[in-house]
Amino acid sequence: MPVLEGILERITYRNDENDFTVAKLMPSDNHELVTIVGVFPTVSSGQSLKLEGQWVNSPKYGKQFKVESFESIIPKTLVGVERYLGSGCIKGIGAVTAKRLISCFGLEVLEVIEKYPDRLCQVEGIGEKKAEMISRGYEEQKDIREVMIFLQAHEVTPGLAVKIYRHYGRDTLKIIRENPYRLAELTGIGFKTADKIALKLGMDPRSSHRIKAAIQFVLWEGASQGHVFLPEEEVFQKIQCLFAEEEIKIPLMAEQIQALVKAKEVFIELEPAGEHRLIYLAPFYHAERGVAHRFLDLKAWQQSLNQSMEMFKMDSDYNLTPQQHQALSKALEEGVLIITGGPGTGKTTTIKALIDLFEKNNLQVTLSAPTGRAARRMSEAAGREAKTIHRLLEYSYQEGEFRFQRNEEKPLKTEVLIVDEVSMVDLLLMYHLLKALPLGSKLILVGDIDQLPSVGAGNVLRSLIGSGVIPVVTLDRIFRQARESLIIVNAHRINQGEFPKTNEKNKDFYFIQEDDPEKINQIILDLCRFRIPGYLNVDPLDDIQVITPMRRTLVGVENLNKLMQESLNPPFRGKKEILSGGETFRLGDKVMQIRNNYQKEVYNGDIGKIADINTEEGELTVTYPDLTGCREVQYSFNELDELVLSYAISVHKSQGSEYPVVILPLITQHFLLLQRNLVYTGITRARKLVVVVGTKKALSIALRNNRVEERHTLLGERLLFRGS
């Protein structure tokens, strides 16, 4: 197979989804740039590479070297070493530091970094801390190369190899050799990739390890789709689909399910009718039973208070509806209460009145919400601190793992807990919250049952209300001031399946008819840059949020982000940017955190702005809004897979947030996700203006589709049958 060595001059194209890359390489044996194509996401300009592949002739692009495998090699010249170090691949070294290192150590520099890192302090600008960072970064590069060579031999793409290494670190090869099925723990890798590696390493196709891993994978996949358990027949069917080319008998699968039951990793329940067996992963089994028991215990411990409601009405400045008065009265009587209602029905006012009422009774009140954005909104509305549930429960790294520090043994110190945006709380998080709440405390849950359900497993708010066991007050009267907003009026119309009122003069809800996806994108760009800022005097980046149902269509999250970045934050000479994982991050870009990072205290869905890109330190800084203004969070370049552009986001990612302006594209290509509660959730994110761009046909499809997402859960039944 032909081999090509040289220095990577520049990357001309990289695909976000699969890390397919087109680049220019200067070969070692001549001085004419060649085009290389393939999948190699870890490389950057200036690196020396050894490539294996084939020469091909593209009718459109001419002669290219098609890369099948590659490795990063140590350059042999001063220029090569300097470019390698200055490429940004080693944290702590940028172009300036690379030049200083070469000037001080010459060709010995790599040996110094590897074996004598203390000597790095001889170089101007390098102290002990930075020397340690450089040494650690160099070791990491070596480890990555070793892991990638091993995994490529087992037909794992470089992109997946990097993801695996970042998850397991220096233990990667040890973990893979001991149990390759642990790779299925990683998002985006899954059972099939792990299985492929395992079989290549000699795993018996009918081994117990393989079938147990398949059972657990199928159950976790079900949880990622919102299911707390799966019926046994569905588990068998999904495993047979995984092993489509092989015949795995049902008795063999049943035997391994029983082995997992014996190990208490899986639990089996009979459905209420007693006909079908239901398979639970242990965390969800304990959580569902625990949530039911804790709610029933809290309800049984109810403590009625003696505060006179008549006196409260006279003494307060609140103009409360009968339903709001009912909520306050129930809150005095019950240990647990759910308050639900749509926008404009006074949930926020009710929360403020409840705080006032409980404090008149000398009770300590704690406020919480599932996300940072929802907690900030609650704090602003209530005029006092609200914490995320994770922060309230002191989720932190202890003894080698992340865990909640507040629990039954160390409960919360509160007498009343009010939780907002409860529709977003999944089963596991609710379980941890309830475990930390002392019996005798009052629990008030506030949410909108018509919003999309939680991203995690379960449908807690709907199950609680549907059971009829927990007291519920529904706020359904729209306040006069709210009725003046078409956003509020239309939210309720959409919730009833009625077509929204649009395009009324000086109102806040507009519909632009267009069915061509490319024209829709141009309309969105025009709205963001010119029309809406001119109409409302808002900032295109800070105040306007595009929310779209799908990710991978022309009018989806990924394509819109590229177009909007080019339009709202284009490149120009001197503006810093970095390419990571196929995505360009540029100074000033609007970005979103896509998973919880408790060490940095940034959470899935938090939106900020890139404030600095430091190639010397290998760090990118994002500013996130908080109650005191903004705070800065640093990311090393190898942590950038936690960030995505967020000029456009999905409806699910928008839950719990509010934006001054929302633009919502709706076209029939979004057919799979056109549901009433999705449109309802999208438009209720806006405070000042909603613009829907698309077709009335797509909107009509969504309005007619009121099918609530069915999730396998027995929480409601357990509440009815006393937690059993």
Side-chain angles (χ1 to χ4, degrees):
M1 183 178 292
V3 175
L4 186 64
E5 289 190 18
I7 296 175
L8 188 70
E9 290 289 327
R10 65 179 181 273
I11 294 172
T12 56
Y13 170 79
R14 182 171 278 160
N15 184 289
D16 287 349
E17 295 182 19
N18 55 20
D19 291 315
F20 175 79
T21 304
V22 180
K24 294 291 185 180
L25 185 92
M26 179 63 75
S28 304
D29 55 1
N30 65 55
H31 300 289
E32 187 175 336
L33 286 172
V34 299
T35 300
I36 60 173
V37 298
V39 177
F40 38 105
T42 56
V43 297
S44 55
S45 299
Q47 283 188 254
S48 293
L49 302 174
K50 180 180 179 181
L51 314 169
E52 290 188 359
Q54 300 290 340
W55 289 101
V56 296
N57 278 301
S58 166
K60 187 173 181 180
Y61 300 108
K63 190 176 182 181
Q64 300 176 330
F65 191 76
K66 186 177 180 181
V67 179
E68 295 183 14
S69 67
F70 79 95
E71 61 178 297
S72 180
I73 59 175
I74 304 302
K76 300 178 178 63
T77 67
L78 281 174
V79 172
V81 173
E82 183 178 334
R83 292 197 63 185
Y84 167 67
L85 292 175
S87 67
C89 64
I90 299 175
K91 185 176 181 182
I93 304 180
V96 174
T97 303
K99 190 176 291 292
R100 290 173 180 168
L101 285 166
I102 291 293
S103 176
C104 187
F105 301 114
L107 283 174
E108 295 180 353
V109 64
L110 296 178
E111 184 181 5
V112 170
I113 292 173
E114 182 177 9
K115 297 179 180 177
Y116 313 106
D118 292 347
R119 291 180 59 192
L120 295 174
C121 295
Q122 299 172 21
V123 178
E124 180 188 352
I126 298 180
E128 290 184 9
K129 186 176 179 182
K130 188 167 183 177
E132 184 183 346
M133 179 196 302
I134 291 170
S135 175
R136 192 166 56 246
Y138 185 74
E139 285 298 315
E140 184 175 284
Q141 283 297 310
K142 285 178 57 183
D143 291 341
I144 289 176
R145 284 199 296 273
E146 184 182 357
V147 168
M148 291 187 71
I149 290 168
F150 173 84
L151 291 174
Q152 283 182 56
H154 294 89
E155 299 180 17
V156 177
T157 67
L160 286 181
V162 172
K163 178 174 279 192
I164 292 167
Y165 177 81
R166 286 179 181 167
H167 187 78
Y168 295 116
R170 304 187 72 170
D171 293 330
T172 298
L173 294 182
K174 178 175 178 285
I175 287 169
I176 292 172
R177 289 186 175 113
E178 288 178 355
N179 182 8
Y181 289 104
R182 284 192 60 184
L183 296 176
E185 299 168 357
L186 277 67
T187 304
I189 291 180
F191 175 83
K192 289 186 177 180
T193 300
D195 191 45
K196 191 175 182 180
I197 294 171
L199 294 176
K200 275 188 153 291
L201 290 173
M203 182 74 71
D204 181 353
R206 287 176 172 74
S207 75
S208 60
H209 290 298
R210 189 184 189 217
I211 295 170
K212 284 178 184 174
I215 293 165
Q216 291 173 311
F217 170 70
V218 162
L219 292 171
W220 279 113
E221 278 286 287
S224 72
Q225 296 162 9
H227 301 303
V228 178
F229 62 82
L230 290 179
E232 188 175 48
E233 297 87 345
E234 193 173 332
V235 174
F236 292 155
Q237 182 184 13
K238 288 181 180 293
I239 292 174
Q240 287 171 333
C241 288
L242 279 178
F243 301 147
E245 297 177 1
E246 306 160 41
E247 187 179 1
I248 303 294
K249 302 288 188 182
I250 285 179
L252 189 55
M253 291 186 273
E255 179 184 340
Q256 296 310 319
I257 288 175
Q258 286 304 132
L260 289 169
V261 169
K262 187 175 181 180
K264 296 187 176 180
E265 295 179 46
V266 157
F267 287 81
I268 296 176
E269 289 270 283
L270 285 177
E271 68 169 349
E275 296 180 9
H276 300 283
R277 285 157 45 107
L278 312 175
I279 315 297
Y280 285 81
L281 285 165
F284 298 101
Y285 175 78
H286 294 306
E288 192 173 78
R289 287 171 56 88
V291 167
H293 280 292
R294 294 295 292 184
F295 267 114
L296 292 170
D297 288 345
L298 286 166
K299 186 173 183 294
W301 272 69
Q302 65 192 43
Q303 293 182 358
S304 296
L305 302 177
N306 297 320
Q307 171 72 30
S308 166
M309 286 297 297
E310 192 64 37
M311 181 179 296
F312 181 78
K313 283 187 284 185
M314 290 171 58
D315 292 345
S316 72
D317 296 325
Y318 301 103
N319 182 21
L320 302 179
T321 66
Q323 292 97 335
Q324 288 174 311
H325 279 299
Q326 183 188 11
L328 268 62
S329 178
K330 285 282 186 184
L332 291 170
E333 299 168 3
E334 303 287 351
V336 183
L337 176 66
I338 296 172
I339 301 171
T340 185
T345 57
K347 294 193 297 296
T348 298
T349 301
T350 305
I351 290 173
K352 292 169 73 173
L354 283 167
I355 295 169
D356 197 354
L357 176 61
F358 287 127
E359 289 183 346
K360 283 179 182 293
N361 282 274
N362 299 314
L363 296 181
Q364 182 182 353
V365 179
T366 300
L367 307 182
S368 188
T371 68
R373 296 164 297 160
R376 281 194 297 274
R377 284 179 54 202
M378 193 181 191
S379 294
E380 290 163 0
R384 63 194 67 207
E385 183 184 26
K387 295 181 179 180
T388 64
I389 295 174
H390 282 85
R391 188 175 164 211
L392 181 70
L393 301 183
E394 299 175 16
Y395 190 78
S396 60
Y397 193 76
Q398 297 284 336
E399 299 177 5
E401 64 177 344
F402 281 101
R403 60 175 65 170
F404 294 98
Q405 304 306 308
R406 292 287 182 178
N407 48 40
E408 305 100 318
E409 296 175 1
K410 187 183 176 183
L412 295 168
K413 295 178 180 178
T414 189
E415 293 165 294
V416 180
L417 175 62
I418 303 177
V419 185
D420 199 8
E421 296 285 0
V422 178
S423 63
M424 299 177 65
V425 181
D426 62 38
L427 182 72
L428 291 179
L429 187 55
M430 181 61 77
Y431 181 44
H432 287 290
L433 179 65
L434 294 176
K435 284 199 296 181
L437 189 64
L439 290 176
S441 300
K442 286 183 176 289
L443 176 62
I444 312 295
L445 303 177
V446 183
D448 186 346
I449 194 176
D450 296 310
Q451 299 276 5
L452 289 170
S454 60
V455 174
N459 202 340
V460 175
L461 181 60
R462 187 170 290 274
S463 295
L464 293 174
I465 293 174
S467 73
V469 172
I470 307 300
V472 178
V473 174
T474 301
L475 306 179
D476 55 13
R477 176 182 164 186
I478 306 175
F479 281 80
R480 182 182 60 79
Q481 186 176 354
R483 288 200 300 271
E484 295 174 3
S485 166
L486 282 185
I487 296 173
I488 302 297
V489 170
N490 285 336
H492 290 272
R493 289 178 67 87
I494 286 168
N495 208 19
Q496 299 301 315
E498 299 174 13
F499 209 85
K501 298 178 179 180
T502 64
N503 302 353
E504 294 185 8
K505 188 176 180 180
N506 298 324
K507 289 293 186 179
D508 55 8
F509 199 108
Y510 291 87
F511 185 92
I512 299 175
Q513 174 74 25
E514 180 55 65
D515 60 1
D516 184 315
E518 292 188 353
K519 289 182 180 178
I520 289 174
N521 287 340
Q522 288 307 310
I523 289 170
I524 290 172
L525 296 179
D526 188 47
L527 286 167
C528 290
R529 287 191 65 187
F530 305 113
R531 294 171 64 180
I532 294 175
Y535 177 63
L536 279 183
N537 190 28
V538 293
D539 183 271
L541 288 182
D542 295 335
D543 300 326
I544 301 175
Q545 186 60 59
V546 176
I547 300 176
T548 182
M550 298 189 77
R551 297 196 59 82
R552 293 182 175 88
T553 63
L554 273 176
V555 192
V557 170
E558 292 172 5
N559 189 48
L560 274 169
N561 269 318
K562 290 178 184 176
L563 295 173
M564 293 179 71
Q565 181 191 47
E566 194 67 22
S567 174
L568 299 176
N569 190 29
F572 63 81
R573 190 173 181 179
K575 179 180 276 190
K576 292 181 181 179
E577 61 180 49
I578 181 172
L579 187 67
S580 174
E583 189 153 58
T584 297
F585 293 105
R586 187 172 297 138
L587 195 66
D589 270 339
K590 187 176 180 180
V591 292
M592 175 188 282
Q593 175 81 14
I594 58 171
R595 56 176 172 265
N596 291 334
N597 187 319
Y598 301 102
Q599 290 173 310
K600 297 183 189 296
E601 293 189 358
V602 285
Y603 305 101
N604 189 357
D606 283 353
I607 290 178
K609 193 179 290 184
I610 297 176
D612 186 38
I613 298 174
N614 187 329
T615 54
E616 284 288 311
E617 300 295 332
E619 286 186 343
L620 178 149
T621 301
V622 178
T623 56
Y624 290 98
D626 63 17
L627 290 175
T628 60
C630 287
R631 70 182 188 94
E632 293 186 345
V633 176
Q634 275 75 40
Y635 296 82
S636 66
F637 285 170
N638 64 8
E639 294 176 316
L640 297 185
D641 58 346
E642 294 188 16
L643 296 174
V644 294
L645 295 176
S646 63
Y647 298 94
I649 62 175
S650 69
V651 179
H652 279 88
K653 287 289 187 186
S654 74
Q655 283 182 271
S657 295
E658 266 193 355
Y659 313 98
V661 179
V662 165
I663 300 174
L664 178 67
L666 286 178
I667 54 176
T668 51
Q669 283 92 327
H670 296 151
F671 182 84
L672 290 174
L673 289 176
L674 289 178
Q675 297 177 347
R676 189 185 298 177
N677 63 352
L678 182 136
V679 177
Y680 175 82
T681 300
I683 70 166
T684 53
R685 302 306 91 206
R687 289 198 306 269
K688 294 182 178 179
L689 179 67
V690 169
V691 181
V692 179
V693 186
T695 66
K696 291 183 178 179
K697 180 179 179 181
L699 182 52
S700 296
I701 291 170
L703 294 178
R704 290 195 302 270
N705 183 4
N706 195 32
R707 180 178 57 85
V708 175
E709 181 185 347
E710 290 297 326
R711 296 185 169 193
H712 293 310
T713 173
L714 288 180
L715 177 58
E717 287 80 356
R718 291 187 191 278
L719 286 165
L720 281 167
F721 295 104
R722 311 302 300 170
S724 62

